[in-house]
Amino acid sequence: MEKLGANPANSCPLTPLGFLERAATVYGDCPSVVYHGTVFTWSQTYRRCLRLASALVSLGVSRRDIVSVLLPNVPAMYEAHFGVPMSGAVLNSINTRLDARTVSVLLRHSGSKLILVDPALLPVLQDALRLLPPGHQAPRVVLVEDPHEKDFPPAPASALTYERLLETKGDPEFRWVRPASEWDPMILNYTSGTTSAPKGVVHCHRGIFVVTLDSLVSWSVPERPTYLWTLPMFHANGWSFPWGMAVVGGTNVCLRRVDAGEVYDTIADRKVTHLCGAPVVLNMLANAPEGVRRALPGKVRILTAGAPPPAAVLGRTEAIGFDVSHGYGLTETAGLVISCAWKGEWNRLPASERARLKSRQGVRTPGMAEVDIVDGETGRSVPRDGSTMGEIVLRGGCVTMGYFKDEEATKAAIREDGWFYTGDVGVMHPDGYLEIRDRSKDVIISGGENISSVEVESVLYGHPAVNEAAVVARPDEFWGETPCAFVSLKDGAAATSAAEVMAWSRERMAGYMVPKTVVFRAELPKTSTGKIQKYVLRNLAKEMGPTRRGVSSSKM
Amino acid sequence: MEKLGANPANSCPLTPLGFLERAATVYGDCPSVVYHGTVFTWSQTYRRCLRLASALVSLGVSRRDIVSVLLPNVPAMYEAHFGVPMSGAVLNSINTRLDARTVSVLLRHSGSKLILVDPALLPVLQDALRLLPPGHQAPRVVLVEDPHEKDFPPAPASALTYERLLETKGDPEFRWVRPASEWDPMILNYTSGTTSAPKGVVHCHRGIFVVTLDSLVSWSVPERPTYLWTLPMFHANGWSFPWGMAVVGGTNVCLRRVDAGEVYDTIADRKVTHLCGAPVVLNMLANAPEGVRRALPGKVRILTAGAPPPAAVLGRTEAIGFDVSHGYGLTETAGLVISCAWKGEWNRLPASERARLKSRQGVRTPGMAEVDIVDGETGRSVPRDGSTMGEIVLRGGCVTMGYFKDEEATKAAIREDGWFYTGDVGVMHPDGYLEIRDRSKDVIISGGENISSVEVESVLYGHPAVNEAAVVARPDEFWGETPCAFVSLKDGAAATSAAEVMAWSRERMAGYMVPKTVVFRAELPKTSTGKIQKYVLRNLAKEMGPTRRGVSSSKM
């Protein structure tokens, strides 16, 4: 028995990339990706991805190179999830809401060789490229035209466009580049996490393979679903469903923007069966006016995660007829690894009680090895009493390999004790279901996006009049939370207004990160060692009551 | 990026054993295992498996020791699939229809430390133990009593019984033994039936983890199915469904024996939704007389594999109302790795054409990395023409680690080119679906032409009087070999003659494929899993002596 082990036939790398070739064989004539009048079949998508992979190779992209995408949920975005790693490169999806400065920082940090960009995001990219330091090799830009957006200007004749690239450099018979090891990197996602320095989360082929099958089983996804892309694919790779849809031969219905009317229309017209979204999407669907809502075409299943959903929002969404499942994951787990697995007997409870139970994050998914909540000081499991808080820790096949070029952050998160420390705080209920009580204290979650308070503060600290700044979450009726800044001013700077601080911020960070509330204080509360007491400020922000909709951008 | 890779949080071993603990949390009060009046819940099953694991440890069983089971599909058999490996030991399920001599050979070869045995199989085991060579340390015997079998004698007072073991030595709070590596052995299955020398197929935790999730996704198993155990669990570990049922919280309905009446009654009374079985089980259900059949309680899905099912049998089974899926796997792949993934457009075809398409084995499952059919001489892929035969080769995460104490057999099957050679012969159709034509040794070579015995049999199954058919090679002075058919007839069809069957065949196949000999038998010899024992028939055909040129028919 000692002599038996890994061998050439059973140790070939676990990878999700083979799912596509299989989909082309089994679902060849079925729709794969739909976007307005554009409909691809699985056999076309397979060949387009092979074209993309071979075109990248012909442009000089090689194993472990970074290829970035700055795209909304359009067909090219779907194709990148297979086509880029099929060239051997690592896919780096960039949040489309970032400002040019941050995009520039990410391109520099990743050393990206090539970027696919949407026409609407080209100006941001161009600004980002100008901000690259002298001597830095800028990535090659490929413009992904959108024939369905009549307002977009035509691509300059000199521009390398996506379709031209596939047509002139793409080989639909390309033998795709298989990973040499299942631990080869495949994905690089930057978190807008808890610190100002961007952290590049790296996932390998094995991790994506495991989370993809696990997510399908955990959500009981049947064959041939019609899946609506309300969740941005750049957000933790759409929780693994780009690869999952190839497994089950689903139809990927693409949407450039998420708006209640368009979502309801698409659900009804395309007979959508499945969609994912942060609680803010559920809130949008639940609060849509009568005239905007459409009758659901059948059973429509929604998977929500990304922020703790208020029970009231879950309740309202189910009252409309959606079948909501709730889970939890991080960019570092490449998808959901905790889910509120539903018990039949709970169906007999009143709606409000059902919503309360469903708002708990739940239990580990089958593919995740272990989950616990530990005391930060002792490292021991907290009691299962539903009230003792501790940090959520995880281990399993889809946990990140670590942070790109950041050994310190990697060591802080992945410890010698074999756990990944999430930085999220929760409680364990007596029935073994966990519930998040406070996303790691300083993070603000606005519309499903994590906002680093430290990052916002560091900008505020750059304002000439600001003495000290602390940013915490303030409840918001629509976004869940918005950033609220407490600021003390330098002597002689009393004339500075809140509006001025906001305007100043708007020029220096993405719109969603700009504080929607600015409170001036003579001094900020501090501990004896001089640390600002954020929990005091958080309570003050709560006492102000929620901000209301319409304050800023309605863009998601 | 070079520095990132496996780390303590993401490289914890992939294993199916954690599925049970999760099932106890999520499905704690739901039925797990049902056997006549005995109903366990998932939380009970979890605690019973922990008791079993800890009891084994207390009896001195340690990591990598072999623990055997000689049991029908009773609750203890289910529990062994978790409880034995949770002690660190390797589970060795023994075919319950083997004779004492073979059981003795297996116990000696495996060096089994302990065996769980059914009262009905105790005499065979006792004979097997007596046949062990002097000095060989016999395994400790644990008798699994069955309170539902009134005819069984009570266990001797001296006997160590299963329930007494769990009660006196079992600790329901035991911390189960996690594998040190995902490549640690977990399963040892001896292949049986078709060859004389048993080979011990070893699977590791990783392989079982992969095949379990893969099989659930591939068969689209929903949450909380009611699963009827018509497939013996000793047969390739019930194609991974003992572990899969814990993932989805299914109800395992146990059956000691598979008989048409009991199967129909159980399906109707327990509202069964899923079951697996070799084609012989389908045949049994399809040919059951009117009085035995019961109306199906709803959609009942059958997964069949283990032998190529004749299209006629598939057609008859579906006509009754079963929803049949067809796949292919080997003990060496721990479950099905090829499945006839169904295409919606095929539903528009006539029933006979649907059955023909469904009788093809199909395409690789999502979790299997690669499948091919290669020319035995050149090792190159055969053309996708549906007629050129070659050997089926596989690679993927659930391929066996090799054969226990048999380096030669391991090397012959797992080659340096990275493929596992199945020994099965098939063709690749133009649409990428493969079809098995034979075990390589079952191919009949007549006048230089390869004849697929399966192909001839599938025609014979279409004859209205034929119950079962098996075709083997009979020596021929001129052609080398000719097809020889062994046939059992349906009740009341005794009048059918060999000449009639040959004439009927001649209208439906090439002349060289028509059986030159037709032998009628009341029953065909079978293995415990329902596979017809072709080597027995081949020997009979040889004993008849060679056919002569121009001479046909020889009725026994």
Side-chain angles (χ1 to χ4, degrees):
Chain A
M1 190 88 45
E2 301 296 336
K3 286 181 191 162
L4 299 175
N7 62 48
N10 69 13
S11 65
C12 54
L14 300 177
T15 172
L17 299 184
F19 298 158
L20 183 58
E21 179 191 33
R22 181 177 173 277
T25 302
V26 177
Y27 310 107
D29 297 330
C30 302
S32 53
V33 181
V34 172
Y35 179 57
H36 299 293
T38 302
V39 179
F40 293 114
T41 64
W42 280 107
S43 105
Q44 289 171 323
T45 294
Y46 178 46
R47 292 169 72 83
R48 286 174 61 83
C49 291
L50 289 175
R51 280 183 183 270
L52 172 57
S54 57
L56 292 174
V57 169
S58 79
L59 290 179
V61 166
S62 56
R63 258 185 214 274
R64 290 172 179 246
D65 278 351
I66 309 291
V67 170
S68 303
V69 291
L70 189 57
L71 293 170
N73 286 345
V74 292
M77 182 63 168
Y78 184 83
E79 290 160 3
H81 283 75
F82 283 100
V84 169
M86 280 172 141
S87 77
V90 175
L91 175 67
N92 165 232
S93 297
I94 298 179
N95 185 330
T96 57
R97 287 180 243 162
L98 295 177
D99 63 337
R101 190 189 60 81
T102 310
V103 172
S104 182
V105 167
L106 301 190
L107 292 177
R108 183 182 177 183
H109 188 268
S110 65
S112 178
K113 288 286 195 301
L114 185 143
I115 183 164
L116 305 182
V117 65
D118 186 72
L121 298 162
L122 186 58
V124 173
L125 176 61
Q126 282 167 335
D127 287 349
L129 295 178
R130 273 190 289 273
L131 288 167
L132 286 173
H136 183 94
Q137 179 71 51
R140 185 151 189 173
V141 176
V142 176
L143 186 69
V144 180
E145 289 173 295
D146 187 335
H148 302 290
E149 290 287 320
K150 299 305 171 202
D151 295 345
F152 285 177
S158 65
L160 178 58
T161 67
Y162 185 71
E163 292 300 330
R164 213 175 293 157
L165 179 69
L166 296 197
E167 201 175 306
T168 60
K169 304 262 189 186
D171 171 9
E173 307 293 335
F174 180 64
R175 286 178 68 91
W176 57 276
V177 180
R178 287 181 181 268
S181 154
E182 67 195 31
W183 297 100
D184 278 1
M186 174 173 151
I187 293 296
L188 170 63
N189 293 322
Y190 285 93
T191 62
S192 43
T194 54
T195 61
S196 51
K199 285 193 290 188
V201 177
V202 179
H203 284 289
C204 61
H205 289 259
R206 168 188 164 104
I208 300 293
F209 175 90
V210 169
V211 77
T212 300
L213 290 187
D214 187 33
S215 297
L216 292 173
V217 169
S218 175
W219 197 21
S220 299
V221 179
E223 248 200 319
R224 304 276 320 276
T226 300
Y227 182 88
L228 179 62
W229 276 104
T230 36
L231 176 72
M233 281 188 236
F234 69 70
H235 193 82
N237 310 297
W239 304 346
S240 87
F241 290 107
W243 302 292
M245 285 302 114
V247 172
V248 293
T251 302
N252 293 276
V253 181
C254 290
L255 270 189
R256 169 174 284 273
R257 53 185 78 78
V258 175
D259 147 283
E262 200 170 343
V263 169
Y264 271 111
D265 286 348
T266 311
I267 290 173
D269 298 342
R270 301 275 187 190
K271 297 199 181 359
V272 166
T273 59
H274 290 70
L275 62 98
C276 293
V280 67
V281 172
L282 276 62
N283 205 31
M284 182 192 78
L285 293 173
N287 292 338
E290 278 298 327
V292 167
R293 273 194 222 163
R294 297 264 304 267
L296 302 183
K299 188 172 176 182
V300 182
R301 302 195 59 199
I302 301 190
L303 182 59
T304 192
V313 172
L314 290 177
R316 281 203 298 274
T317 313
E318 296 220 301
I320 294 171
F322 290 101
D323 180 350
V324 181
S325 299
H326 171 217
Y328 163 86
L330 308 97
T331 303
E332 285 87 342
T333 58
L336 307 196
V337 293
I338 292 184
S339 74
C340 185
W342 196 246
K343 303 193 183 201
E345 64 256 37
W346 291 345
N347 287 327
R348 292 191 294 268
L349 299 172
S352 63
E353 179 64 4
R354 288 205 309 272
R356 192 190 64 76
L357 286 168
K358 189 166 278 186
S359 71
R360 307 186 306 169
Q361 279 64 34
V363 297
R364 69 181 164 84
T365 55
M368 178 69 5
E370 287 184 90
V371 172
D372 201 2
I373 298 188
V374 298
D375 182 294
E377 309 257 304
T378 64
R380 258 175 286 170
S381 303
V382 300
R384 291 185 163 203
D385 57 10
S387 64
T388 309
M389 292 207 268
E391 185 168 356
I392 298 169
V393 294
L394 303 161
R395 64 169 61 111
C398 65
V399 167
T400 178
M401 300 208 289
Y403 301 106
F404 188 40
K405 297 182 196 165
D406 194 343
E407 273 185 65
E408 205 179 315
T410 301
K411 270 188 191 161
I414 298 163
R415 310 226 183 121
E416 288 302 315
D417 60 7
W419 289 112
F420 168 75
Y421 281 73
T422 64
D424 286 328
V425 169
V427 299
M428 187 67 85
H429 288 280
D431 65 356
Y433 279 54
L434 71 79
E435 182 174 1
I436 291 179
R437 276 296 156 83
D438 207 356
R439 296 279 283 200
S440 78
K441 289 169 294 214
D442 301 340
V443 178
I444 300 149
I445 305 165
S446 190
E449 291 294 332
N450 284 357
I451 299 173
S452 157
S453 59
V454 177
E455 198 172 350
V456 179
E457 286 156 16
S458 73
V459 173
L460 294 178
Y461 272 101
H463 188 287
V466 167
N467 179 37
E468 285 185 317
V471 177
V472 298
R474 180 177 171 189
D476 181 276
E477 283 186 350
F478 183 74
W479 297 108
E481 294 175 348
T482 58
C484 171
F486 288 83
V487 172
S488 70
L489 293 175
K490 291 176 183 167
D491 289 345
T496 308
S497 72
E500 201 268 330
V501 169
M502 286 186 229
W504 194 88
S505 302
R506 206 164 291 120
E507 287 173 26
R508 288 164 179 83
M509 62 182 75
Y512 71 92
M513 292 168 62
V514 173
K516 303 299 175 288
T517 316
V518 177
V519 181
F520 294 101
R521 307 267 295 191
E523 234 177 295
L524 302 185
K526 298 206 188 76
T527 65
S528 56
T529 56
K531 281 187 179 174
I532 294 171
Q533 291 174 302
K534 282 207 171 169
Y535 72 92
V536 174
L537 299 177
R538 206 174 291 119
N539 287 340
L540 287 174
K542 269 188 197 143
E543 285 164 14
M544 287 181 217
T547 45
R548 303 244 167 102
R549 195 180 182 180
V551 175
S552 62
S553 132
S554 62
K555 210 169 65 173
M556 290 226 11
Chain B
M1 191 93 40
E2 301 297 335
K3 287 180 190 162
L4 299 175
N7 63 49
N10 68 14
S11 64
C12 53
L14 300 177
T15 172
L17 299 183
F19 298 158
L20 183 57
E21 180 192 33
R22 181 177 172 278
T25 302
V26 177
Y27 310 106
D29 297 331
C30 301
S32 53
V33 180
V34 172
Y35 179 57
H36 299 292
T38 301
V39 179
F40 293 114
T41 63
W42 281 106
S43 104
Q44 289 171 324
T45 294
Y46 177 46
R47 292 169 72 85
R48 286 174 60 84
C49 291
L50 290 175
R51 279 182 182 272
L52 172 56
S54 56
L56 292 174
V57 169
S58 80
L59 289 179
V61 167
S62 56
R63 261 186 212 273
R64 290 171 179 248
D65 279 352
I66 309 291
V67 170
S68 303
V69 291
L70 189 58
L71 294 170
N73 287 344
V74 293
M77 182 61 166
Y78 184 84
E79 291 160 1
H81 283 75
F82 283 100
V84 170
M86 281 173 139
S87 76
V90 175
L91 175 67
N92 165 233
S93 298
I94 298 178
N95 186 326
T96 56
R97 295 194 204 163
L98 296 177
D99 63 340
R101 193 193 56 81
T102 311
V103 171
S104 182
V105 167
L106 301 190
L107 291 177
R108 183 182 178 183
H109 187 270
S110 66
S112 180
K113 289 285 197 302
L114 186 142
I115 183 164
L116 306 182
V117 66
D118 186 74
L121 298 161
L122 187 59
V124 172
L125 177 62
Q126 282 166 336
D127 287 349
L129 295 177
R130 272 189 289 272
L131 289 166
L132 285 173
H136 182 95
Q137 179 70 52
R140 184 151 190 175
V141 176
V142 176
L143 186 69
V144 180
E145 289 174 294
D146 187 334
H148 303 289
E149 290 287 320
K150 300 303 173 206
D151 294 346
F152 286 176
S158 64
L160 178 57
T161 68
Y162 185 71
E163 292 300 331
R164 211 175 294 158
L165 178 68
L166 296 198
E167 201 175 308
T168 59
K169 303 262 189 187
D171 171 9
E173 307 294 335
F174 180 63
R175 287 177 67 90
W176 57 276
V177 180
R178 288 180 181 269
S181 153
E182 66 195 32
W183 298 101
D184 278 1
M186 175 175 151
I187 294 296
L188 170 63
N189 292 323
Y190 286 92
T191 60
S192 64
T194 53
T195 59
S196 46
K199 288 188 288 189
V201 177
V202 179
H203 285 288
C204 61
H205 289 259
R206 170 189 164 102
I208 300 293
F209 175 90
V210 168
V211 77
T212 300
L213 290 187
D214 187 33
S215 297
L216 292 173
V217 169
S218 176
W219 197 22
S220 298
V221 179
E223 249 200 316
R224 306 275 320 276
T226 301
Y227 182 89
L228 179 63
W229 276 104
T230 35
L231 176 72
M233 281 186 238
F234 69 72
H235 187 66
N237 310 296
W239 305 346
S240 87
F241 290 108
W243 302 292
M245 285 303 115
V247 173
V248 294
T251 303
N252 293 277
V253 181
C254 291
L255 270 189
R256 168 174 285 274
R257 53 186 78 79
V258 175
D259 145 285
E262 200 169 345
V263 169
Y264 271 110
D265 286 347
T266 310
I267 290 173
D269 298 342
R270 300 275 187 190
K271 298 195 180 2
V272 167
T273 59
H274 290 71
L275 63 99
C276 293
V280 67
V281 172
L282 275 63
N283 206 33
M284 181 193 79
L285 293 174
N287 291 338
E290 278 299 325
V292 166
R293 274 194 222 164
R294 296 265 303 268
L296 302 183
K299 189 172 175 181
V300 181
R301 303 195 58 199
I302 301 189
L303 183 59
T304 191
V313 173
L314 290 176
R316 281 203 296 274
T317 312
E318 295 219 302
I320 294 171
F322 290 102
D323 180 350
V324 181
S325 299
H326 170 217
Y328 163 86
L330 308 98
T331 303
E332 285 87 342
T333 58
L336 307 197
V337 294
I338 293 183
S339 74
C340 185
W342 195 247
K343 303 194 185 204
E345 65 256 36
W346 291 345
N347 287 327
R348 292 191 294 267
L349 299 172
S352 62
E353 179 63 5
R354 288 206 308 273
R356 193 190 61 77
L357 286 168
K358 189 164 278 186
S359 70
R360 306 186 307 170
Q361 280 64 34
V363 296
R364 67 181 165 84
T365 55
M368 179 67 5
E370 289 184 89
V371 172
D372 200 4
I373 299 188
V374 298
D375 182 292
E377 309 258 302
T378 65
R380 258 175 285 171
S381 304
V382 301
R384 290 185 164 206
D385 57 10
S387 65
T388 310
M389 292 204 265
E391 184 168 356
I392 297 168
V393 294
L394 303 161
R395 63 168 63 108
C398 63
V399 167
T400 178
M401 301 209 287
Y403 301 105
F404 188 41
K405 298 183 197 163
D406 195 343
E407 272 184 68
E408 205 179 316
T410 301
K411 271 189 193 160
I414 298 163
R415 310 228 182 119
E416 288 302 315
D417 60 7
W419 289 112
F420 168 74
Y421 281 73
T422 63
D424 283 326
V425 169
V427 299
M428 187 67 84
H429 288 280
D431 65 355
Y433 279 54
L434 71 78
E435 183 173 0
I436 289 182
R437 282 294 157 83
D438 241 329
R439 288 293 298 174
S440 47
K441 60 186 174 310
D442 291 342
V443 173
I444 301 154
I445 304 168
S446 187
E449 293 288 350
N450 283 355
I451 299 173
S452 154
S453 62
V454 175
E455 209 174 340
V456 179
E457 287 156 10
S458 72
V459 173
L460 294 178
Y461 269 98
H463 189 289
V466 167
N467 179 40
E468 290 185 315
V471 176
V472 298
R474 179 175 173 191
D476 182 277
E477 286 184 345
F478 182 76
W479 298 111
E481 292 176 351
T482 57
C484 170
F486 290 83
V487 171
S488 71
L489 294 176
K490 291 180 184 164
D491 290 344
T496 309
S497 72
E500 201 266 13
V501 169
M502 284 185 237
W504 195 87
S505 301
R506 206 165 290 119
E507 287 170 24
R508 289 164 177 83
M509 61 182 76
Y512 71 93
M513 291 168 65
V514 173
K516 304 301 176 290
T517 317
V518 175
V519 182
F520 293 103
R521 307 265 296 191
E523 236 177 294
L524 301 185
K526 298 207 191 76
T527 67
S528 52
T529 56
K531 284 186 188 177
I532 293 168
Q533 290 174 304
K534 285 207 170 166
Y535 72 93
V536 174
L537 299 176
R538 206 176 290 120
N539 287 339
L540 287 174
K542 270 188 196 142
E543 285 164 13
M544 290 181 213
T547 44
R548 304 236 171 106
R549 196 171 182 182
V551 178
S552 283
S553 168
S554 146
K555 198 170 162 183
M556 283 171 71

